[in-house]
Amino acid sequence: MLDTENYFFKKGKVRIMNKNSYAKTPPMGWNSWDCYGASVTEKILKQNADYMAEHLKSYGWEYIVCDIQWYEPEAKGHAYNHFYPLEMDEYARLIPAVNRFPSAAGGQGFAPISSYIHGLGLKFGIHIMRGIPRQAVHAATPIKGSHATARTIAHPYSLCPWNTDMYGVNPEAEGAQAYYDSLFELYAQWGVDFVKVDDICNTEYKPHDPYSARKEIEMIRAAIDKCGREIVLSLSPGPAVLSEAAHLAANANMWRITGDFWDNWPQLYAMFEKCDQWSPYVKEGCWPDCDMLPLGHLGINTPGYDGGSRFTNFTREEQRTMMTLWCMFRSPLMMGGELTDLDEWTRKLLTNRKVLRLLGHSSGARQLMRTGDTVIWSSNDEDGGKYLAFFNLSNAETKPGFPLNHLGIRGACRVENLWDGTEREEASGRLEAELKPHDAALFKLTKGIGGEE
C-alpha cells in the first residue's frame, strides 16, 4: 500500500510530493556565505564536507550548501562584481564557473561534487537568486521546453537592489513555469538536495508589495514537485511576512524571519521578539529560520579581499545564548564558519547531543515570560520531559527563577543542566539559574521519586 505521507503520487505528469516528509526536523548543515561570501571553491566545499563527515555527521549535521554566485568566475568575497558575465548554458540556466569548480567541466555541473558529498553520507545544497539572468534576457536565450525566450518571460522592473545578476520572472508569461521546471530538472540531475532561493521573501525591498514574489514561490514549489527529487526549499532573506505564514508553510521548508544575521549582540537581542512571534508556526517540515550561526572563523574570502577575516565577535556566553534559543525555537542550524578551523570549545557547542535533541524530539516551544531583559522559554520532550531555558539579556549578572508548578510539576523532579552536564533533584518547587551577562541556561526536567507532571 502506497504511503502518501512519505512518497508521492502522480497527477497527470506532475508528481505531487509531501514536502514536509523530507524535512521532518530542522535541517542542520554548513553554508559558505559567512566565511567565503561569493568566493567559495570546489576545494573549500570538499574540505568542509570531509570535516563534517568525520566530526559532525553523527550528531545530525548533514548539509553542505554552496552559497551565492557559484556561476561568477571572478567572485572574490562578500562584495559583488556588478553586471559581470556569468557562466550559463544554452537554456538561460546558470552553471558553475569551471575555474572555481574544475569538476564541472564538460557540462557536468555540480554532479561530481554532489556525488562526492553523497559518498560521505551527506547532502548537497546550492543558492540561487529568484528570476532569470539579465544576460539571458538581453540575448533572448531560449527556454527549454517552451517557445518562449528569456526576454519574453522576464519582468524587467522586478529587480534585486543588492545584486545585478537577475530580472524577476513574470509569472503570467507563457514559458515562465517551463523556465523554473528546467532549472529544477537540472538540479535534480546534479543530485541537489537543498536549494536556498534568495531575494524572495523580504519586505524591506518591496514596500509597495511586501510579498510580491508569492507567485514565483508557487512556481518554484511546482517545479520541485515536478522534478521528483526531494529538494528542501529555503527562502531568503527575511524578514518574512508573518501574515503570509500559511502560504510559506504550504510551499517552503524554511523561510528567514530576519535579515542577514551576524555576530553582534543587538541582532541577537532582537531575535527573541522574532522567535516569540513565529513560535506558533513551527511544525514538521515548516521551519521559520533564524539564519546562520556566525561562529568560528568568518570573513575569510579570497586573499587580498579578506580584510574582514576574524573569529566570531560573540562572547562564549552569547554563543551559548544563540544556540539555546535556536534549538529551543527549533530553527534550522546552518554553521557559518570554516569547519576545519574550529576550536574544541566551538566544536563541543555544536555537538551537545542533549541540546540538539530539541530539534527532533521537542514540541510546543514558547516564551513563558519576559520581564525586562530576563526571558524564559519552555517546551516539551516526546519522552514526557520538559525543557526550561533562562536567558539573561542584560549587562549584569542575574539569578532568574521560575515556579515549577506552572509547568505542571509538583513534588520532586530531576533537573539536568544540559550545557554543563550536572544533574540534581529539585524539590523546592522553584528552579533558579545564576547567569552572567548575555548568558543562558538550559534544563531538562524529568520525573523523580515522588514527583508528578
Side-chain angles (χ1 to χ4, degrees):
M1 183 175 181
L2 182 63
D3 179 4
T4 57
E5 288 299 308
N6 295 294
Y7 198 52
F8 59 83
F9 61 90
K10 291 183 178 180
K11 183 178 181 182
K13 295 182 179 180
V14 179
R15 293 175 171 183
I16 307 299
M17 304 176 71
N18 175 17
K19 71 174 183 66
N20 295 344
S21 69
Y22 46 91
K24 290 186 175 181
T25 60
M28 299 170 60
W30 174 86
N31 179 294
S32 60
W33 172 254
D34 282 1
C35 43
Y36 295 103
S39 68
V40 68
T41 64
E42 179 168 346
K43 178 182 177 181
I44 291 167
L45 291 178
K46 287 182 175 179
Q47 74 188 27
N48 280 276
D50 291 342
Y51 184 96
M52 181 177 288
E54 181 176 356
H55 300 286
L56 303 179
K57 182 176 72 172
S58 63
Y59 297 89
W61 300 88
E62 59 176 346
Y63 289 94
I64 296 292
V65 181
C66 179
D67 211 89
I68 195 167
Q69 285 200 320
W70 36 266
Y71 40 79
E72 210 275 66
E74 298 301 322
K76 301 297 184 185
H78 285 79
Y80 305 116
N81 297 319
H82 295 308
F83 303 107
Y84 198 86
L86 310 176
E87 296 295 319
M88 188 178 75
D89 73 5
E90 69 272 27
Y91 294 118
R93 300 178 298 186
L94 296 170
I95 56 177
V98 174
N99 64 319
R100 295 168 52 199
F101 305 95
S103 68
Q108 295 189 84
F110 273 128
I113 292 178
S114 174
S115 178
Y116 180 88
I117 289 172
H118 291 160
L120 297 173
L122 304 174
K123 296 180 180 181
F124 176 60
I126 61 173
H127 170 291
I128 66 172
M129 298 292 293
R130 72 174 177 93
I132 189 161
R134 292 191 190 189
Q135 68 187 45
V137 175
H138 300 159
T141 305
I143 301 300
K144 186 178 182 182
S146 171
H147 296 296
T149 70
R151 185 174 297 169
T152 62
I153 72 168
H155 192 321
Y157 298 109
S158 179
L159 304 173
C160 175
W162 45 266
N163 180 278
T164 60
D165 295 342
M166 316 293 274
Y167 288 121
V169 167
N170 176 5
E172 307 303 325
E174 181 181 354
Q177 185 64 58
Y179 167 68
Y180 273 116
D181 290 349
S182 73
L183 285 186
F184 283 88
E185 176 187 54
L186 181 65
Y187 302 157
Q189 292 170 2
W190 288 348
V192 172
D193 306 295
F194 180 107
V195 173
K196 173 184 174 181
V197 184
D198 215 337
D199 188 39
I200 204 161
C201 68
N202 181 281
T203 63
E204 179 181 356
Y205 303 123
K206 307 174 183 70
H208 63 287
D209 180 3
Y211 208 58
S212 61
R214 167 190 278 263
K215 290 187 177 179
E216 280 199 72
I217 292 173
E218 293 170 359
M219 287 194 294
I220 291 167
R221 173 78 266 145
I224 294 175
D225 291 344
K226 185 175 182 179
C227 85
R229 185 171 179 82
E230 295 184 350
I231 297 177
V232 170
L233 176 58
S234 170
L235 303 180
S236 288
V241 184
L242 193 64
S243 62
E244 293 288 347
H247 186 262
L248 291 163
N251 290 282
N253 300 107
M254 299 164 47
W255 55 91
R256 284 263 297 279
I257 63 174
T258 179
D260 284 2
F261 179 82
W262 283 102
D263 48 331
N264 66 79
W265 175 249
Q267 283 191 301
L268 182 51
Y269 185 95
M271 193 65 71
F272 282 85
E273 182 178 0
K274 298 178 190 298
C275 289
D276 183 33
Q277 292 171 338
W278 279 97
S279 60
Y281 303 98
V282 175
K283 63 179 181 179
E284 182 178 291
C286 306
W287 308 111
D289 179 13
C290 294
D291 200 16
M292 287 183 284
L293 301 167
L295 299 173
H297 195 180
L298 309 171
I300 301 170
N301 297 330
T302 303
Y305 297 83
D306 56 356
S309 178
R310 67 188 187 281
F311 284 81
T312 184
N313 289 319
F314 280 140
T315 66
R316 288 187 171 184
E317 290 78 18
E318 290 165 353
Q319 293 176 59
R320 186 160 43 238
T321 288
M322 177 176 61
M323 281 294 293
T324 303
L325 180 62
W326 267 233
C327 290
M328 177 66 78
F329 176 70
R330 301 181 77 196
S331 171
L333 300 183
M334 287 289 163
M335 173 60 185
E338 168 59 50
L339 295 181
T340 63
D341 290 344
L342 286 183
D343 61 16
E344 184 67 8
W345 190 91
T346 307
R347 187 184 64 79
K348 287 183 177 180
L349 186 76
L350 299 172
T351 56
N352 185 315
R353 291 189 188 279
K354 293 184 177 181
V355 174
L356 295 176
R357 177 179 170 84
L358 279 90
L359 297 177
H361 302 281
S362 69
S363 63
R366 63 191 179 98
Q367 181 177 290
L368 289 178
M369 61 162 284
R370 180 166 186 169
T371 304
D373 284 338
T374 296
V375 180
I376 301 177
W377 278 64
S378 73
S379 66
N380 305 310
D381 193 292
E382 62 187 23
D383 66 6
K386 295 182 182 294
Y387 296 99
L388 193 61
F390 295 91
F391 300 94
N392 175 18
L393 309 188
S394 76
N395 295 320
E397 293 186 6
T398 61
K399 190 176 181 179
F402 192 79
L404 298 184
N405 64 342
H406 287 192
L407 296 175
I409 298 173
R410 297 174 295 278
C413 69
R414 287 193 177 88
V415 177
E416 183 177 7
N417 185 322
L418 300 188
W419 284 121
D420 69 17
T422 59
E423 186 172 335
R424 66 182 188 273
E425 282 195 3
E426 183 74 30
S428 67
R430 179 179 175 85
L431 182 62
E432 294 181 339
E434 296 184 6
L435 298 178
K436 295 179 180 179
H438 301 182
D439 204 356
L442 177 61
F443 301 97
K444 186 174 183 181
L445 293 75
T446 53
K447 289 181 180 180
I449 299 172
E452 298 180 8
E453 293 191 41

